[in-house]
């Protein structure tokens, strides 16, 4: 018979293994995906004209394709696939 702590530890290790496998198979974040999110957010927000906002998204996409980093004005993150 196995002890209760062993079963709990085994279950926890199994869960972590599953989470790790899911993360490994997740699609990498892409510059184009960030641009699509940006445009969607432009359409939702009524603070500025949509065309001005979408133009800004295009500029951010261009910079992202060159550097691999997305900068939304308040946050910058890198390591994006340049697609």
């Amino acid at each position: 018979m196995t002890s209760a702590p062993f079963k709990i530890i085994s279950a926890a290790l199994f869960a972590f293994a599953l989470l790790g496998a899911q993360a490994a198979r997740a699609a990498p974040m892409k510059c184009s995906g960030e641009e699509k999110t940006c445009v969607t957010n432009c359409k939702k927000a009524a603070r500025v004209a949509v065309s001005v906002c979408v133009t800004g998204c295009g500029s951010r996409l261009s910079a992202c394709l060159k550097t691999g980093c997305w900068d939304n004005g308040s946050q910058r993150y890198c390591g994006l696939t340049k697609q």
Side-chain angles (χ1 to χ4, degrees):
M1 283 186 10
T2 59
S3 65
F6 179 75
K7 288 181 181 180
I8 293 171
I9 292 171
S10 295
L13 290 174
F14 182 72
F16 284 124
L18 286 178
L19 290 173
Q22 292 254 338
R25 288 187 294 207
M29 291 178 61
K30 298 180 180 180
C31 292
S32 58
E34 293 300 312
E35 192 241 358
K36 288 176 187 174
T37 301
C38 183
V39 170
T40 300
N41 290 337
C42 286
K43 293 176 182 177
K44 290 179 184 177
R47 293 177 296 200
V48 295
V50 173
S51 62
V52 172
C53 187
V54 171
T55 300
C57 294
S59 297
R60 290 182 173 127
L61 174 63
S62 179
C64 185
L65 291 173
K66 291 176 187 169
T67 65
C69 298
W70 184 265
D71 186 349
N72 66 9
S74 63
Q75 185 180 13
R76 183 171 195 236
Y77 45 96
C78 298
L80 300 172
T81 303
K82 298 178 184 180
Q83 291 182 353

